[in-house]
Structure formats: structure tokens, C-alpha cells
Amino acid sequence: MSEGAVLHLKGRVLVGPDDVRDELWVVGGRVTYDRPALARDAISVQGWALPGLVDAHCHVGLDAHGPVDAPTSEKQALTDRDAGTLLIRDAGSPSDTRWVDDRADLPKIIRAGRHIARTKRYIRNYAHEIEPEDLVAYVAQEARRGDGWVKLVGDWIDRSTGDLGACWPKGAVEAAIAEAHRLGARVTAHCFAEETLAPLVEAGIDCIEHATGLTEETIPLFAQRGVAIVPTLVNIATFPRLADAGAGKFPRWADHMRRLHDRRYDTVRAAYDAGVPVFAGTDAGGSLAHGLVADEVLELTRAGLPARAALSATTWGARDWLGRPGLTEGAPADLVVYESDPREDVRVLAAPRRVVLRGQIVG
């Protein structure tokens, strides 16, 4: 498909969950619903179209051991793209992936800079590992380096107790979040444990990753403050394996991880029912493969979210939350075409018929 070619999508265009149109055109890489003068020469694509999918927790430039080189990062991004993920919120990476912005064939990345963790309280080679007195300065640094987000590690295993424990004093977190907001950045945090959550929400945090520790006491607080969660259920599925591996040294932590896993679906459904914003993220790039967004959406439905809510968590709602357009007039033509209606069966997401990125058919 040449750069100046016109694309005509016929079938059903899911502009929103209930806003369905019969066709759209792509002219100059952008969406239009007005028939163009060159319509006779358009390339035709048929099917059910969604806005390009969003993976709201993904790590390009990272693997299980730390930063990776550019060819590996490229392969990660292409794997996500071919699965239909055209917008990534990179929830922490030690690699410089700014070069991706110059590639028209790779997904758009919204970066959160590098993870910020407590010293020796996170995965080796991933994060800036610092003490609380340096938290504000590092948050300011990553706010300037990112694309409107900063990522904290809110809790991790505390070797002194043998269980999950909060990483930051409340005062340090309050000052750090205030500084990020002053610089125009939102803040999210990796959190597994129950007791970590309320202090972070009360400190003004914008989002929590994983959020396995949500309870009937903290869910209303999230709903009241509008704090979003990205459950990463495909990652939480690994908890039993992690617990088995660590049980010999940290039995208390292992039991805790198993309990969090056992109630994961109930936790997500209770949060959704209470009105907590829920978005789809895979946590790809650490120990998990890229290209799993369809699996995560299916997991959200297994947790009890209606199909349209689970779809919105990776399309309409996710794009609105991140401040990126969907299939609106004049928007960049980032869309995925499927054989059948994904609102009826989200498993369709696993088999894109066509992937269109910036107006070009790339898959």
C-alpha cells in the first residue's frame, strides 16, 4: 500500500460500543467518514473494525534480566503490533526507546520513564533503587523523561518480615506525587499487598498496577477518588509458580501470594462493580511474552466484566483515559479489523484480519 493510497473500510466500524457505522475512509493516514474524490481508486478492506488496541501496562526494552538492545525492543514492539496493540503505556523501562517514535511501522508508546524502587526491593537491573529522601528528585527526573507518567514500586518482599511490605513512608510519597502533578505527570505504582493501597490513594496517586490487595475497605476509596487499576491478570496467573519457587525461603510471602491469586477474579469484579476504572494491561516484557492483549481481555471477562466493558478497557475507554483519539473524524488511522463482532465474543481479538497503523496496512 503506497503512502498516498486511499483505504476504504466496509462492514461495521465500532467507533464506540454503541456507535456503529457502515464504512470509513483513510486519506492521508487519517480517518474520515466523508467519501473522498479518489474513492474509485481506494483499496478495500472488509470486516469489523475497532480502534487500535491499548496495552496499558507493557515494557518495551525490558526482559527478565533488565534492559535489552534495540533489535530486541523492535521485535517486542512488532509482536505487540501484529496482535493489534497500536498504543502502549510503557509502565517502566530502563532502555531508551525514543527511537521508536521515528518509526511509522511501530506502535505509539506513552512512557513512564524508569521504575523507581526502594533499595534492594525490586527486580535487579530494572529500577532506580533509592531511599525515601531522594524520592522527590527521582520522580521529578522521570516525570521530565516520560510522556506524562511516573512509575513507583509501591511494595515488594521485605526480607525482615518475610512478606510483602510497603516501600515508602506516606510523607515521602505525598511529596513525590505532588511534585509529579506539578510537572504535569500522573503517577502509578506497582502494588500487590493490601496495606500499601490506602496511603497511596490518600497521597493522590492516579493509578495502581496489579491491585491484587484491594478489599471491601479500599475499593470504595478507589471509586471515590477515581483511581484506576490495571489488573494484569495474565501476570497474576504466574503467582502460584512464583510462590512455589520462593516458599522454602519465604513461606509467609508464598502463602500471601497464593491467597491474592485465589481471589483475583473476585477482586477485579468487585472493583468494576463499585465503579473503579479498569484497563487492560499484560505486563509484557519482564518474564511474560509480548502480544498477549487478547488474553488479558479474555481474562477480564472471566473475572466477570461484561464483554463491552472488557473491550472498552483496551479500546474506547483506554484511549480516552490516556488522552488519545479513537476512530473519530481526522484522527490517525490506527485500527484493527476482525472477522466478526468482538462485542459478541472477545476471543475474536486473538485473530486480527487486518492491522492498519497510521493509515498503512501493516498486518
Side-chain angles (χ1 to χ4, degrees):
M1 182 176 174
S2 65
E3 190 170 333
V6 173
L7 183 66
H8 183 202
L9 177 62
K10 297 183 290 184
R12 308 298 280 166
V13 181
L14 299 172
V15 181
D18 300 306
D19 183 358
V20 184
R21 308 188 194 184
D22 294 329
E23 60 183 354
L24 68 70
W25 305 84
V26 177
V27 180
R30 294 189 174 270
V31 170
T32 183
Y33 293 95
D34 297 325
R35 182 183 177 89
L38 299 174
R40 284 190 308 173
D41 301 320
I43 297 170
S44 182
V45 174
Q46 208 156 11
W48 292 78
L50 281 172
L53 306 186
V54 177
D55 189 336
H57 185 132
C58 187
H59 305 280
V60 175
L62 180 71
D63 71 6
H65 307 290
V68 299
D69 59 17
T72 304
S73 299
E74 178 188 43
K75 184 177 180 180
Q76 292 173 341
L78 287 171
T79 300
D80 287 319
R81 183 201 73 182
D82 292 346
T85 295
L86 304 185
L87 180 62
I88 290 169
R89 186 182 64 141
D90 194 326
S93 177
S95 298
D96 181 0
T97 60
R98 286 289 172 191
W99 58 270
V100 172
D101 295 346
D102 299 325
R103 289 276 298 272
D105 62 330
L106 296 180
K108 179 67 176 176
I109 297 179
I110 299 172
R111 298 168 185 83
R114 189 173 185 174
H115 305 76
I116 303 173
R118 191 76 177 263
T119 307
K120 296 184 179 180
R121 294 284 298 279
Y122 199 48
I123 304 168
R124 186 178 298 177
N125 300 324
Y126 275 34
H128 295 298
E129 296 191 18
I130 62 168
E131 289 303 298
E133 59 267 26
D134 296 319
L135 185 59
V136 171
Y138 273 84
V139 163
Q141 171 185 293
E142 297 309 302
R144 294 186 177 99
R145 292 177 57 188
D147 299 311
W149 284 90
V150 174
K151 169 73 175 294
L152 306 179
V153 176
D155 58 38
W156 197 249
I157 189 166
D158 184 340
R159 288 168 175 79
S160 67
T161 65
D163 199 359
L164 296 169
C167 293
W168 310 105
K170 186 175 180 181
V173 168
E174 289 173 340
I177 292 174
E179 178 67 2
H181 289 170
R182 186 184 72 81
L183 294 170
R186 289 185 276 183
V187 182
T188 192
H190 161 109
C191 293
F192 290 158
E194 294 86 350
E195 67 272 11
T196 313
L197 297 175
L200 287 171
V201 174
E202 290 165 355
I205 205 158
D206 303 283
C207 180
I208 295 291
E209 312 300 314
H210 317 301
T212 48
L214 279 170
T215 65
E216 60 183 12
E217 287 77 28
T218 50
I219 285 172
L221 181 61
F222 273 65
Q224 179 185 2
R225 302 286 182 96
V227 177
I229 65 170
V230 183
T232 67
L233 288 167
V234 292
N235 177 26
I236 306 311
T238 68
F239 277 18
R241 174 174 56 82
L242 297 175
D244 289 346
K249 191 172 183 180
F250 299 113
R252 183 178 172 191
W253 168 84
D255 289 344
H256 195 173
M257 295 290 278
R258 292 188 186 103
R259 292 196 305 273
L260 294 173
H261 173 265
D262 288 346
R263 62 181 178 88
R264 66 197 186 283
Y265 289 155
D266 292 339
T267 300
V268 173
R269 179 56 193 257
Y272 171 78
D273 286 346
V276 175
V278 178
F279 299 106
T282 66
D283 205 1
S287 60
L288 289 181
H290 285 257
L292 298 178
V293 70
D295 299 67
E296 181 64 20
V297 174
L298 182 59
E299 279 288 277
L300 291 175
T301 65
R302 288 170 175 159
L305 269 66
R308 294 190 184 202
L311 279 177
S312 185
T314 192
T315 55
W316 316 292
R319 284 180 168 271
D320 184 62
W321 179 57
L322 293 172
R324 298 298 190 271
L327 297 179
T328 54
E329 183 72 29
D334 295 343
L335 57 97
V336 192
V337 183
Y338 300 96
E339 184 78 26
S340 57
D341 188 351
R343 299 173 302 174
E344 298 299 319
D345 186 350
V346 300
R347 289 175 293 182
V348 170
L349 297 185
R353 174 187 273 187
R354 287 286 184 270
V355 178
V356 178
L357 179 60
R358 299 175 180 90
Q360 296 291 308
I361 298 174
V362 294

